[in-house]
């Protein structure tokens, strides 16, 4: 297959009561392992990269790898740009072949968030690319994006409805109490708020900060309308820990394949767990 827009797969997920996993990848091996996991589970998949990774690897390299992965498998795969504040990076990624982009103007006042999101929605709609926007402010650290706990802000359900109406954005990430990175204690998810937002907004909702949320809480959030779950930190940790273990056992190792193979295996296993948890295993046909 070719890369697909994430719109149809996320709408199917919202209607079907499950979530599609969106995995942040930073290297070719991470991308391959995420694809192997989704293919084994016959799940739709969203590969995503942060702006930092786009600047590190190049949107063209990432898109070429994702396109090759899509051509080699039968599962639907979308390529998404995570948390972008820069319009020119969005344009660059769409031109490279990304099929989904996030415009994150959540730090700006509501009207400015609407203005920036509408501009991206118009551009993306013309080329069949999905758009995600954020309301409220997800706390924690994601790449270069740092939001202190005191600055995190939950999304207001009425504002969510007004925002979707004003922008026509096809996917919404409302801040509902999760955070990027590993939680110090348990996350404080506001389930009643998810319910109220889902009642007012029928577009697929996105759960950010998917690392470290207890399984029962993920299931509950998904059952209430969260149709995409982003996972970054946990995958980076299992991938890096596997590499560290190789070097701990053999400090002189100098063949990248020797430490990348166990790292890929570890990431694949972690990705499979998230796929099963989100209920998207066996759902590839929904978006084919
Ligand atoms: P985690 O790093 O907490 O998994 O969050 C990922 C995320 O939401 C990316 O946008």
């Amino acid at each position: 297959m070719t890369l697909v827009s994430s719109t149809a797969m996320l709408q199917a997920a919202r209607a079907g009561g499950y979530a599609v996993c969106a995995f942040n990848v930073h290297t070719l091996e991470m991308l391959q392992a995420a694809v192997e996991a989704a293919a084994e589970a016959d799940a739709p998949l969203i590969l995503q990269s942060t702006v930092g990774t786009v600047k590190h690897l190049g949107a063209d390299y990432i898109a070429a790898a994702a396109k090759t992965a899509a051509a080699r498998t039968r599962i639907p795969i979308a390529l998404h740009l995570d948390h972008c504040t820069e319009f020119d990076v969005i344009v660059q990624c769409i031109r490279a072949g990304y099929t989904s982009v996030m415009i994150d103007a959540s730090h700006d006042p509501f009207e400015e968030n609407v203005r920036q999101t509408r501009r991206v929605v118009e551009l993306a709609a013309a080329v069949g690319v999905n758009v995600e926007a954020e309301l409220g402010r997800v706390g924690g650290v994601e790449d270069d994006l740092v939001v202190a706990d005191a600055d995190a802000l939950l999304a207001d359900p009425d504002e969510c409805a007004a925002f979707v109406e004003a922008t026509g954005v096809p996917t919404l990430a409302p801040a509902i109490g999760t955070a990027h990175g590993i939680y110090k204690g348990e996350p404080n998810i506001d389930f009643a708020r998810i319910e109220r937002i889902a009642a007012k907004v029928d577009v697929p909702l996105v759960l950010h900060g998917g690392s470290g949320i207890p399984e029962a809480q993920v299931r509950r959030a998904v059952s209430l309308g969260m149709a995409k779950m982003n996972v970054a930190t946990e995958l980076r940790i299992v991938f890096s820990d596997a590499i560290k273990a190789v070097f701990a056992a053999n400090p002189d190792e100098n063949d990248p394949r020797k430490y990348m193979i166990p790292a890929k295996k570890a990431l694949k296993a972690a990705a499979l767990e998230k796929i099963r948890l989100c209920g998207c295993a066996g759902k590839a046909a929904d978006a084919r």
Side-chain angles (χ1 to χ4, degrees), residues 212-251:
I213 305 177
E215 293 195 355
Q217 296 194 18
V218 171
R219 283 199 199 92
R220 191 165 165 207
V222 169
S223 76
L224 295 174
M226 290 292 179
K228 172 181 182 246
M229 183 169 85
N230 289 0
V231 186
T233 307
E234 261 188 64
L235 299 185
R236 278 195 281 116
I237 290 174
V238 295
F239 193 77
S240 304
D241 281 354
I243 295 173
K244 288 178 207 168
V246 171
F247 282 107
N250 183 4

Side-chain angles (χ1 to χ4, degrees), residues 8-28:
M9 65 169 79
L10 293 179
Q11 282 171 351
R14 169 109 201 233
Y18 60 92
V20 177
C21 288
F23 296 130
N24 285 64
V25 294
H26 305 281
T27 72
L28 176 62

Side-chain angles (χ1 to χ4, degrees), residues 24 48 82-83 142 179-181 208-211 230-234:
N24 285 64
Q48 57 188 28
D82 197 19
H83 288 287
E142 178 59 49
H180 295 127
H208 277 250
S211 294
N230 289 0
V231 186
T233 307
E234 261 188 64

Side-chain angles (χ1 to χ4, degrees), residues 106-170:
S106 60
H107 294 74
D108 290 309
F110 182 84
E111 286 309 328
E112 176 58 14
N113 193 350
V114 166
R115 189 191 70 76
Q116 290 192 35
T117 302
R118 197 156 49 190
R119 184 175 179 216
V120 174
V121 167
E122 276 167 17
L123 167 80
V127 285
V129 164
N130 193 19
V131 180
E132 176 181 330
E134 179 170 315
L135 260 195
R137 228 173 280 150
V138 175
V141 179
E142 178 59 49
D143 216 42
D144 297 335
L145 187 74
V146 182
V147 178
D149 288 354
D151 294 330
L153 203 69
L154 300 189
D156 173 78
D158 290 321
E159 271 196 7
C160 287
F163 185 81
V164 171
E165 171 79 23
T167 58
V169 75

